[in-house]
Amino acid sequence: MADEDRQQLREEIAQEKYGKPFEELDSDEKMSVGGTIGGRRGGEARKKQMAEEHGGDVHAAYSEMGSTGAKKGGYSTGYAHDPEKQKEFDANDNANFPEK
């Protein structure tokens, strides 16, 4: 991306987020603009990678992610940090909370 394009993108995002030119932003606001730019670039790159992994269909990739769900012992139980509590769950159901 050319310097001119970068500056234009910074200006557009600064206006969208803060309603003022990039040069008038404080340092935290400038970092936020940079993060937005980086996030967009990273997001687009990740979508492209996921699509390539699923025959060009990014929607199939997201669908697979959604159907995979939380893994046994993950934070869905809330007990990933406590091995003793984790033992209370059976192998088939990570939402089998013990009765009180």
Side-chain angles (χ1 to χ4, degrees):
M1 181 181 280
D3 286 340
E4 194 174 293
D5 294 336
R6 277 191 206 117
Q7 186 59 31
Q8 182 179 350
L9 184 56
R10 282 187 199 128
E11 291 298 331
E12 289 172 9
I13 293 171
Q15 284 296 330
E16 286 172 20
K17 292 183 84 163
Y18 301 106
K20 52 188 173 182
F22 183 79
E23 289 305 315
E24 292 181 13
L25 302 178
D26 65 34
S27 60
D28 287 339
E29 291 168 336
K30 287 181 179 182
M31 286 191 304
S32 176
V33 168
T36 299
I37 293 169
R40 288 180 182 177
R41 287 184 188 151
E44 289 302 315
R46 179 65 181 133
K47 280 196 278 187
K48 182 178 177 184
Q49 177 189 14
M50 288 171 62
E52 289 170 359
E53 292 170 356
H54 288 82
D57 187 358
V58 72
H59 300 291
Y62 280 110
S63 178
E64 181 182 313
M65 263 182 9
S67 66
T68 303
K71 302 284 187 232
K72 172 80 173 123
Y75 282 97
S76 62
T77 65
Y79 298 117
H81 59 283
D82 186 346
E84 292 304 311
K85 278 287 187 189
Q86 228 172 358
K87 290 177 185 174
E88 295 176 16
F89 297 91
D90 67 32
N92 297 316
D93 183 11
N94 69 355
N96 184 18
F97 293 99
E99 293 186 10
K100 291 183 179 183

